[in-house]
Amino acid sequence: MKEVVIELDHEQERRTNRYLEKVFSSMQTTLVVTDSQGLIQTVNRALLELLGYTEEELLGRPLSAICTSAELPGAASPEAAMHSESLALVRVETRYRSRDGRLIPMLGARSALRDEEGGLEGVICIAFDLTERKEFVAQIFQSEKLASIGQLAAGIAHEINNPLGFIFSNLGTLAEYSRDILGLVQGYENLYQALETGDADQIAQARLQVGSCRAEVDVDYLIADLGQLICESREGAERVRHIVQSLREFAHLDQTEKTPASLNQCVESALTIAWNELKYKVQVEKEYATLPQVPCYPQELNQVFINLLINAAQAIADQGVISIRTFQEGHWVCAAIADTGQGMSPEVRRRIFEPFFTTKPVGQGTGLGLSTSYHIVVHKHGGELLVDSQEGVGTTFTVRIPLNGAGESPPR
Ligand SMILES: Nc1ncnc2c1ncn2[C@@H]1O[C@H](COP(=O)(O)OP(=O)(O)O)[C@@H](O)[C@H]1O
Ligand SMILES: [Mg+2]
């Protein structure tokens, strides 16, 4: 009788085990269970497939073999994190390291595995792969950039067209001038030839020709104006080159490495691109400090400043002032963009960094400018994006970038 009961118990246990195995291996999310020392006891198929390990390779190894960061606040390592008192369910963004060394962004949750007396027996970590989501977010940011180029395109074309217009008209005048000058030169050339022959008649005729040419052409005026036309056209061409250069910098695909750049330069590029949106209603005041270069993604900071400048201009209904100030504050380099626009109510202020939040009509706002800017400044540069706004008075946004170049590496 006793033996039958034991056999039934075994059968029951086998069935439970099989059932649990089926549950674990059917899970789409990855599962790791450790013992109280942080050594891996159980893994599921999703984890093995994602990381490329076999079960034998992972069992008994510390969690840090696959999990790169200390996941809980204040914990120095995943193992130390396990002993944290706060081992309730915690949602964390972390990275797993695959067998071939790739770092995979994961969103995970941890729970304590407790024994009957409530002691810590281990930790259960489930997580899922964030790669696709990260790529999606990166795409949204890229399309925000393209959308803002689209919105600015007409204005930029206008900015390029202006100097091109007067370069073209100057070229017309220069063509006329060069005809006159060539006529004169030809006259002098004839005179020279006549002088060479020494024939008095020929010389007299050539002199007459030069005389009538000179009477038609105001040589002094021509020489003075010629220099000015060339100088003006050069400046125009330089302006076009500057705009195209800024546009190229801006439209460039995101860099993977930070490079040292000047915040002043980023602000200037942004001003060039946004100029047409500002020039009719805004007086721009600039106060640039001499700043050290800072490791950053310059094009992305351009994007931030374009967003802030356009927002500032859009907040100004009629005429107003945008003041741009750059300065250094300890280990931060900063740029503040202040406008005398309509300001924000506290309700708007609270929501401005939410993706797709906008108070503007369709076509004027996507609601992505500030959330993108926040991501770039805070997550990618380890910086701060501060806002100070007073309804009816104006708004100041301040970008602060740390000189030590902290912040996450870009999405792969
Ligand atoms: N300088 C500013 N002055 C007043 N309100 C602003 C300013 N900048 C942003 N806002 C508010 O924040 C909202 C979100 O801005 P943003 O993310 O750039 O999206 P969008 O400009 O497309 O609306 C704006 O719709 C506006 O209400
Ligand atoms: Mg905007």
Side-chain angles (χ1 to χ4, degrees):
M1 187 64 192
K2 209 172 176 190
E3 269 180 16
V4 174
V5 172
I6 288 172
E7 243 174 49
L8 269 179
D9 277 356
H10 277 318
E11 178 53 30
Q12 180 85 14
E13 202 180 317
R14 267 198 296 275
R15 236 186 290 153
T16 309
N17 279 346
R18 269 205 304 277
Y19 181 72
L20 280 179
E21 265 170 31
K22 208 159 70 187
V23 169
F24 289 166
S25 72
S26 308
M27 281 170 69
Q28 301 277 341
T29 43
T30 65
L31 170 81
V32 187
V33 185
T34 72
D35 65 10
S36 60
Q37 303 305 305
L39 300 178
I40 297 173
Q41 302 300 307
T42 305
V43 290
N44 73 345
R45 199 170 63 190
L47 183 95
L48 297 174
E49 280 173 3
L50 180 70
L51 302 187
Y53 282 107
T54 62
E55 191 168 8
E56 293 70 41
E57 286 171 319
L58 286 181
L59 293 187
R61 292 186 61 191
L63 195 57
S64 54
I66 56 161
C67 180
T68 57
S69 58
E71 292 179 20
L72 293 175
S77 69
E79 286 77 23
M82 290 205 12
H83 298 289
S84 160
E85 285 303 307
S86 61
L87 229 172
L89 181 73
V90 189
R91 273 160 51 98
V92 275
E93 261 196 53
T94 181
R95 295 186 207 201
Y96 280 180
R97 195 187 300 108
S98 72
R99 194 169 189 275
D100 56 17
R102 269 181 318 123
L103 290 178
I104 303 167
M106 305 289 292
L107 179 67
R110 296 178 147 212
S111 343
L113 183 64
R114 307 237 174 237
D115 59 22
E116 285 76 13
E117 281 82 48
L120 186 68
E121 200 178 316
V123 174
I124 308 163
C125 314
I126 57 168
F128 69 89
D129 187 353
L130 280 183
T131 309
E132 269 183 23
R133 210 195 70 159
K134 291 246 167 191
E135 279 165 6
F136 177 65
V137 170
Q139 268 170 13
I140 288 190
F141 288 144
Q142 183 66 18
S143 51
E144 193 278 333
K145 187 153 120 176
L146 295 179
S148 66
I149 293 188
Q151 275 183 338
L152 294 173
I156 295 169
H158 188 77
E159 285 298 298
I160 291 178
N161 217 21
N162 247 351
L164 274 185
F166 69 73
I167 290 172
F168 199 68
S169 125
N170 287 356
L171 279 175
T173 315
L174 285 171
E176 270 172 37
Y177 286 5
S178 67
R179 257 198 313 276
D180 291 346
I181 290 169
L182 285 176
L184 252 180
V185 169
Q186 190 58 55
Y188 283 125
E189 180 62 22
N190 292 346
L191 182 59
Y192 179 81
Q193 301 282 354
L195 285 169
E196 287 279 278
T197 61
D199 182 318
D201 274 358
Q202 273 193 36
I203 295 174
Q205 209 183 341
R207 271 190 67 178
L208 269 178
Q209 199 196 341
V210 170
S212 72
C213 221
R214 291 194 66 209
E216 278 173 28
V217 178
D218 184 345
V219 179
D220 292 338
Y221 173 79
L222 200 142
I223 289 174
D225 201 36
L226 193 76
Q228 205 174 336
L229 285 180
I230 290 178
C231 188
E232 199 181 286
S233 305
R234 272 216 163 124
E235 275 171 22
E238 191 54 50
R239 170 123 196 96
V240 171
R241 182 157 72 180
H242 186 60
I243 295 170
V244 171
Q245 177 73 23
S246 303
L247 197 59
R248 254 175 46 186
E249 276 172 21
F250 179 57
H252 204 272
L253 280 181
D254 292 342
Q255 285 174 310
T256 48
E257 296 284 330
K258 283 185 180 167
T259 49
S262 145
L263 217 56
N264 293 341
Q265 187 60 48
C266 292
V267 174
E268 273 297 303
S269 284
L271 258 178
T272 304
I273 293 203
W275 188 240
N276 196 59
E277 318 298 312
L278 313 182
K279 64 180 179 189
Y280 297 113
K281 57 175 180 180
V282 171
Q283 185 192 332
V284 177
E285 291 173 356
K286 303 188 225 177
E287 191 186 324
Y288 293 150
T290 311
L291 295 178
Q293 296 212 324
V294 57
C296 63
Y297 305 108
Q299 294 113 13
E300 302 192 21
L301 290 185
N302 289 353
Q303 189 181 355
V304 170
F305 292 124
I306 291 170
N307 284 334
L308 297 181
L309 287 169
I310 301 284
N311 279 348
Q314 287 174 331
I316 294 170
D318 191 14
Q319 293 285 314
V321 180
I322 296 182
S323 328
I324 304 170
R325 192 166 73 86
T326 64
F327 54 100
Q328 185 172 357
E329 218 171 61
H331 294 296
W332 302 86
V333 288
C334 315
I337 297 188
D339 65 64
T340 57
Q342 66 194 23
M344 298 172 223
S345 67
E347 297 82 65
V348 170
R349 160 72 195 82
R350 251 197 310 278
R351 302 192 54 196
I352 54 172
F353 294 120
E354 284 175 23
F356 302 109
F357 173 77
T358 180
T359 55
K360 296 169 194 170
V362 176
Q364 270 199 48
T366 56
L368 281 170
L370 286 178
S371 55
T372 309
S373 301
Y374 186 88
H375 175 77
I376 292 173
V377 172
V378 175
H379 294 140
K380 291 190 130 177
H381 289 87
E384 292 175 355
L385 181 56
L386 310 175
V387 52
D388 182 16
S389 185
Q390 224 179 319
E391 234 177 326
V393 177
T395 304
T396 304
F397 279 92
T398 307
V399 174
R400 289 159 58 86
I401 304 293
L403 274 169
N404 66 8
E408 79 171 20
S409 50
R412 290 165 307 124

